[in-house]
Amino acid sequence: MGYMDTVRNLFRKFKWVISKKSTELQPKYILERLISEIEHKKKLGIEENAFVPNVYAVYLSPIDYEELSPLLSGIKDQLKNKLMEKIKKNGYRLLSTSISLEIREDSGLERNQVVVESSFLKEKTSAAPVVDSKVVSFGGGRKDERKPEPVQRTALTRIIEDKKTKIIDDTKVELEIVEGDGKGEIIPLKEGEYTFGRGKDARILVKDNDDTVSRVHFKITVREGRISIKDLNSANGTRVNDIEIEEAELKKGDTITAGKVLLRVA
């Protein structure tokens, strides 16, 4: 092999290394997508300053998520700081004192693809303390009469535990779409686990033209005559009987709200 052939081979390898490095997702691009989301979703009110979302979810491909996973904590803090700087600089307003930002993996995305979801979530205040290990009944049944010990929680959501309620037909549960796209449709569920959302990774597809439902929004489990629901870190949260939950037991007649979609346990 001559001198020029050696140089050409080295040059090809050098170009390949540059090309390989250039395909790696940079946090700066994630920040650009978040800023674009702010400008796209800002709401102009009566006053001059606009409201912007205070809850953000960033979805990355499995490859990008794995590469960035050792840095995610630091990247999240930097992104939140940069977003707050942008919000303050432009005089935008929030429904809370700070913003919430999560970075998640989405197997439906390809490398370098970034999807951002955002929402407006009003910070809740409650006069009564949230308590641990106590039963709260959706149906207004008798509560545990033992004196609860208050537990301080700063999260925007709370866990609602219902008494175990058996479904009459333990082999089939039906959900009726009461509001939203597909109103009037019945979704039959047999024993098992079902994820609901507007993305292809969800087992049950929820139609939502306004994108208020997350790609994978919540999970319902039907087992041994009981039905339970769990929010899957959705952008807009999941509500049962108009109470925002992380996990809850369901019974016939309960309603489930995900974004603009309302379902009822039939």
Side-chain angles (χ1 to χ4, degrees):
M1 181 182 296
Y3 174 76
M4 291 304 299
D5 291 333
T6 302
V7 171
R8 290 191 191 98
N9 287 336
L10 288 173
F11 182 69
R12 290 193 192 100
K13 290 180 180 179
F14 182 67
K15 283 181 64 180
W16 182 83
V17 170
I18 293 177
S19 175
K20 183 176 184 294
K21 289 293 182 183
S22 67
T23 63
E24 295 179 357
L25 180 66
Q26 299 298 321
K28 184 178 179 180
Y29 178 66
I30 301 176
L31 177 62
E32 292 173 355
R33 289 288 294 108
L34 285 165
I35 292 176
S36 175
E37 181 74 4
I38 286 178
E39 296 300 325
H40 177 66
K41 288 289 186 69
K42 66 183 179 183
K43 305 291 185 183
L44 294 171
I46 298 174
E47 300 177 7
E48 181 178 352
N49 294 345
F51 280 96
V52 295
N54 58 338
V55 178
Y56 298 86
V58 177
Y59 295 89
L60 306 177
S61 71
I63 296 177
D64 291 328
Y65 187 87
E66 182 179 359
E67 288 181 348
L68 294 176
S69 58
L71 310 172
L72 282 183
S73 178
I75 290 174
K76 281 174 56 177
D77 290 340
Q78 291 179 11
L79 290 173
K80 288 173 68 174
N81 291 337
K82 289 294 184 182
L83 287 183
M84 287 302 295
E85 289 177 9
K86 171 74 174 179
I87 290 168
K88 291 178 180 178
K89 181 179 178 181
N90 288 272
Y92 295 148
R93 293 185 290 172
L94 298 168
L95 293 178
S96 56
T97 55
S98 61
I99 60 175
S100 171
L101 173 64
E102 295 295 333
I103 301 178
R104 304 166 185 164
E105 179 181 349
D106 188 334
S107 59
L109 297 179
E110 297 179 359
R111 187 170 187 140
N112 288 329
Q113 286 186 322
V114 177
V115 173
V116 175
E117 292 183 347
S118 65
S119 61
F120 296 83
L121 183 61
K122 188 173 182 180
E123 202 164 12
K124 295 178 179 62
T125 57
S126 177
V130 180
V131 297
D132 269 348
S133 304
K134 303 299 176 185
V135 176
V136 180
S137 174
F138 285 129
R142 185 176 63 84
K143 298 181 181 179
D144 194 327
E145 295 178 355
R146 291 174 295 175
K147 184 178 180 180
E149 296 182 6
V151 176
Q152 298 297 324
R153 286 208 182 109
T154 57
L156 295 179
T157 60
R158 44 185 184 147
I159 298 175
I160 303 296
E161 297 178 2
D162 193 1
K163 293 179 179 178
K164 302 294 185 180
T165 305
K166 285 195 173 184
I167 301 298
I168 296 175
D169 182 358
D170 62 1
T171 63
K172 186 176 181 181
V173 174
E174 291 185 343
L175 299 180
E176 179 186 0
I177 301 177
V178 180
E179 294 180 10
D181 297 330
K183 181 177 179 180
E185 292 182 7
I186 300 295
I187 304 172
L189 303 180
K190 295 184 178 181
E191 189 154 315
E193 293 186 349
Y194 302 83
T195 53
F196 290 70
R198 61 179 175 81
K200 63 181 182 181
D201 290 336
R203 185 173 177 182
I204 304 294
L205 181 65
V206 179
K207 302 173 186 176
D208 179 28
N209 293 330
D210 295 330
D211 292 349
T212 60
V213 176
S214 294
R215 293 168 178 269
V216 183
H217 200 106
F218 62 85
K219 178 177 71 174
I220 285 183
T221 302
V222 181
R223 184 169 290 121
E224 297 179 355
R226 298 184 176 93
I227 177 170
S228 61
I229 184 171
K230 181 178 181 180
D231 181 72
L232 299 178
N233 295 319
S234 60
N236 287 320
T238 302
R239 304 174 73 85
V240 172
N241 296 337
D242 207 29
I243 299 175
E244 191 158 13
I245 58 96
E246 291 178 8
E247 297 182 47
E249 291 284 332
L250 296 173
K251 61 181 181 298
K252 188 173 181 180
D254 284 343
T255 59
I256 303 166
T257 305
K260 293 184 178 180
V261 177
L262 177 67
L263 303 99
R264 181 171 56 223
V265 182

